[in-house]
Amino acid sequence: RRIINKFQNLYCEVSSILIGIRFKSCPLSVRFLGVKSTNCPWCTVIGENTIFGGGLYLDAWDTYYFKDFKSNNKEIKKQSLDCQLIIGARCNFGAYNHITSANRIIIGDNLLTGKWVTITDNSHGETNKDMLMSNPMHRPLYSKGPIIIGNNVWIGDKVTILPNVRVGDGAVIAANSVVTKDVPSYSVVGGIPAKILK
């Protein structure tokens, strides 16, 4: 049993390193415990000692159905940065998290998430009639704005954070919440849509 455990640990270490080297910046201390999808890893920067749970979807879209998000993103052009997904150090992401960016997502240090958390700055098209009459898979990705999450934030199970939201330092987001507006620092929010509880 000990030998099997050693081989399993070695396999996890090697597979984690092989996944990590695909990213633009990803220290060897980052751990991937299982990845379902990584799109455009060259648009992603990850800080040291960050851990991702199994079933991870981590996507930064630079193109989608021939639309170029890098060149159209004024904020990225203005700041002369080419990374759309920036994750801080010592973060711990639960299993089955889905993080997807076509605009920009910045996550600070020491984030803790539960399972099944979705953080997305984009959707499949706008909600005008012409767009709604087309196949959702063929609609261009649309973003209302970036997501910025501060340091020391705790996000509970099954939370969804939608575009154009800032989450302040030390905030707590209760399980099953849908965050549609800014969350002040050092507050507790919950509900659909999320409101300040404390």
Side-chain angles (χ1 to χ4, degrees):
R1 187 178 281 178
R2 287 180 187 172
I3 293 171
I4 291 171
N5 285 341
K6 284 183 179 179
F7 277 114
Q8 286 175 335
N9 290 340
L10 180 61
Y11 172 79
C12 287
E13 292 283 328
V14 171
S15 64
S16 188
I17 290 169
L18 291 175
I19 293 166
I21 60 175
R22 297 172 51 213
F23 290 90
K24 178 163 186 165
S25 176
C26 182
L28 290 176
S29 60
V30 172
R31 289 291 166 258
F32 296 92
L33 304 180
V35 175
K36 291 285 187 185
S37 168
T38 55
N39 182 62
C40 297
W42 53 87
C43 296
T44 304
V45 172
I46 303 171
E48 62 184 5
N49 296 310
T50 288
I51 299 171
F52 295 94
L56 171 72
Y57 285 81
L58 188 63
D59 298 314
W61 298 95
D62 62 351
T63 58
Y64 184 85
Y65 274 90
F66 311 109
K67 182 175 179 182
D68 184 354
F69 292 103
K70 270 187 172 179
S71 62
N72 292 332
N73 191 322
K74 292 176 186 171
E75 177 140 348
I76 289 176
K77 280 171 107 178
K78 186 170 72 176
Q79 294 183 18
S80 301
L81 296 171
D82 59 356
C83 289
Q84 295 166 261
L85 181 51
I86 301 169
I87 297 171
R90 299 171 303 281
C91 296
N92 195 323
F93 293 86
Y96 307 106
N97 278 205
H98 182 192
I99 304 166
T100 172
S101 174
N103 184 319
R104 169 164 277 189
I105 296 176
I106 300 173
I107 296 172
D109 297 336
N110 305 313
L111 175 75
L112 173 64
T113 80
K115 297 176 183 173
W116 302 103
V117 169
T118 298
I119 302 171
T120 177
D121 71 6
N122 62 85
S123 59
H124 286 269
E126 299 181 63
T127 53
N128 58 55
K129 187 176 180 184
D130 290 340
M131 195 70 73
L132 295 176
M133 291 175 69
S134 66
N135 181 338
M137 283 297 295
H138 299 158
R139 297 173 193 166
L141 293 182
Y142 170 72
S143 177
K144 291 181 180 178
I147 295 173
I148 300 174
I149 299 174
N151 299 319
N152 306 311
V153 173
W154 177 20
I155 301 173
D157 284 2
K158 300 178 183 174
V159 166
T160 298
I161 299 178
L162 295 176
N164 200 27
V165 164
R166 290 178 181 260
V167 178
D169 292 345
V172 176
I173 303 174
N176 300 303
S177 299
V178 177
V179 180
T180 61
K181 295 182 179 176
D182 291 357
V183 176
S185 296
Y186 310 109
S187 64
V188 178
V189 301
I192 304 174
K195 297 179 181 176
I196 297 174
L197 304 176
K198 186 177 180 181

